Amino acid sequence: MKKKIIVVMLAITLVATYITGCSASTYQDSYDEAKKQVDEQAAEMQKEIDKKVDEIMNGDKESEAEKPEKQTTPTSDSESKSVKQDETEKTEEENTEKTETKEITAGAHDIAGATFYFSKSVNNDVTGKWRISTVNTSMSAEEYAAEYYKELFASNDEIHGIVNFALNTTSRITVLDSKTLDVAIIEYVDGEDHDAKELFSGMTLANYQVNIESGKAEKIE
């Protein structure tokens, strides 16, 4: 009886070992097959990703190549001259704008060795910018214009008349720009210094441009 039991148990053990061995072998085969499929799918996916990346990179390069180069439109000579002219006119306007710098008193002022009798207004002047002086000197206005400007001009938009009884002339001094005065020598008309409507009505005898800093005069033909 005992021998039968031992034989049966031995048979059961052999069968179980066989079955276990078969199951393990089958599981390993299934695992290897699944891993193979996963590896193949991963490889395919990686190929697709690499392809998309290449397409994107190549597309960016083509877009950059298609962009037009930034060009600077050359400025023509006429445009350059126009700009320079506008800048010059603007500078001249700024230089001739009213810029009160000091209070000028009416009365006697000694300039370049001569005494000028200065008035801050002219009868019938509607601009409010005309000034009048009288003097008795052998000097012509272009000789002392720079000194006169520094002494008696309160702003660059003023117009000054200087009646010189010694030379029988009336001179008109105005500011051209920050460096230059315009001086006109005009034949005196009796009584013009008392009426803005008559002032500067005589015949022009000469025109000068005077450098404010140096006082040098250049006659304008």
Side-chain angles (χ1 to χ4, degrees), residues 97-110:
E97 286 180 357
K98 187 174 182 179
T99 52
E100 295 288 347
T101 56
K102 58 183 178 179
E103 181 65 26
I104 308 299
T105 59
H109 293 263
D110 292 331

Side-chain angles (χ1 to χ4, degrees), residues 102 111-112 116 139-153 156 162 173-175 178-183 208-217:
K102 58 183 178 179
I111 301 172
F116 291 76
M139 291 187 297
S140 184
E142 76 276 6
E143 299 178 67
Y144 57 75
E147 291 184 57
Y148 179 96
Y149 166 81
K150 294 173 184 177
E151 179 70 21
L152 294 179
F153 269 71
N156 286 345
I162 304 171
I173 300 179
T174 57
V175 178
S178 61
K179 298 181 180 180
T180 312
L181 299 173
D182 180 76
V183 180
Y208 296 89
Q209 288 187 359
V210 179
N211 184 281
I212 294 173
E213 294 300 321
S214 66
K216 183 179 180 181

Side-chain angles (χ1 to χ4, degrees), residues 1 8 25 30 41 56 65 80 83 95 110-111 119 135 150 157 169 171 191 193-194 199 209 216 220:
M1 182 68 179
V8 171
S25 176
S30 298
Q41 291 178 358
I56 293 172
S80 299
V83 171
N95 290 333
D110 292 331
I111 301 172
S119 175
V135 68
K150 294 173 184 177
D157 60 354
T169 60
S171 300
D193 46 316
H194 301 294
L199 193 59
Q209 288 187 359
K216 183 179 180 181
I220 306 302

Side-chain angles (χ1 to χ4, degrees), residues 4-221:
K4 289 182 180 180
I5 293 172
I6 293 171
V7 171
V8 171
M9 290 180 65
L10 181 60
I12 293 171
T13 300
L14 290 173
V15 170
T17 301
Y18 174 79
I19 292 172
T20 302
C22 291
S23 298
S25 176
T26 302
Y27 174 79
Q28 183 65 41
D29 292 341
S30 298
Y31 172 80
D32 292 341
E33 181 65 24
K35 183 175 183 302
K36 181 179 179 182
Q37 292 179 1
V38 170
D39 291 342
E40 290 176 352
Q41 291 178 358
E44 290 295 327
M45 291 178 65
Q46 186 63 46
K47 288 181 180 180
E48 291 294 327
I49 293 172
D50 292 341
K51 183 179 179 181
K52 292 292 183 182
V53 171
D54 290 339
E55 289 177 355
I56 293 172
M57 295 298 292
N58 292 332
D60 290 341
K61 291 180 181 179
E62 290 176 358
S63 298
E64 290 293 332
E66 291 175 357
K67 288 183 180 179
E69 294 183 0
K70 185 178 180 181
Q71 296 181 354
T72 302
T73 303
T75 303
S76 64
D77 292 340
S78 60
E79 290 176 344
S80 299
K81 291 179 181 178
S82 178
V83 171
K84 290 180 181 179
Q85 183 177 354
D86 290 342
E87 292 176 350
T88 301
E89 291 176 354
K90 182 178 179 181
T91 301
E92 290 178 354
E93 289 176 0
E94 291 174 350
N95 290 333
T96 55
E97 286 180 357
K98 187 174 182 179
T99 52
E100 295 288 347
T101 56
K102 58 183 178 179
E103 181 65 26
I104 308 299
T105 59
H109 293 263
D110 292 331
I111 301 172
T115 300
F116 291 76
Y117 296 91
F118 173 71
S119 175
K120 298 174 70 174
S121 63
V122 180
N123 292 336
N124 297 321
D125 171 32
V126 296
T127 68
K129 298 179 180 180
W130 287 23
R131 310 288 183 263
I132 189 75
S133 294
T134 59
V135 68
N136 195 331
T137 178
S138 60
M139 291 187 297
S140 184
E142 76 276 6
E143 299 178 67
Y144 57 75
E147 291 184 57
Y148 179 96
Y149 166 81
K150 294 173 184 177
E151 179 70 21
L152 294 179
F153 269 71
S155 66
N156 286 345
D157 60 354
E158 293 179 351
I159 298 173
H160 284 238
I162 304 171
V163 175
N164 187 342
F165 294 114
L167 299 178
N168 200 37
T169 60
T170 299
S171 300
R172 182 181 63 236
I173 300 179
T174 57
V175 178
L176 285 179
D177 54 47
S178 61
K179 298 181 180 180
T180 312
L181 299 173
D182 180 76
V183 180
I185 310 299
I186 302 168
E187 186 177 30
Y188 174 67
V189 174
D190 188 36
E192 68 174 300
D193 46 316
H194 301 294
D195 189 349
K197 295 179 181 179
E198 298 295 328
L199 193 59
F200 311 130
S201 60
M203 181 178 65
T204 300
L205 304 175
N207 282 294
Y208 296 89
Q209 288 187 359
V210 179
N211 184 281
I212 294 173
E213 294 300 321
S214 66
K216 183 179 180 181
E218 179 182 355
K219 190 172 183 178
I220 306 302
E221 299 296 339

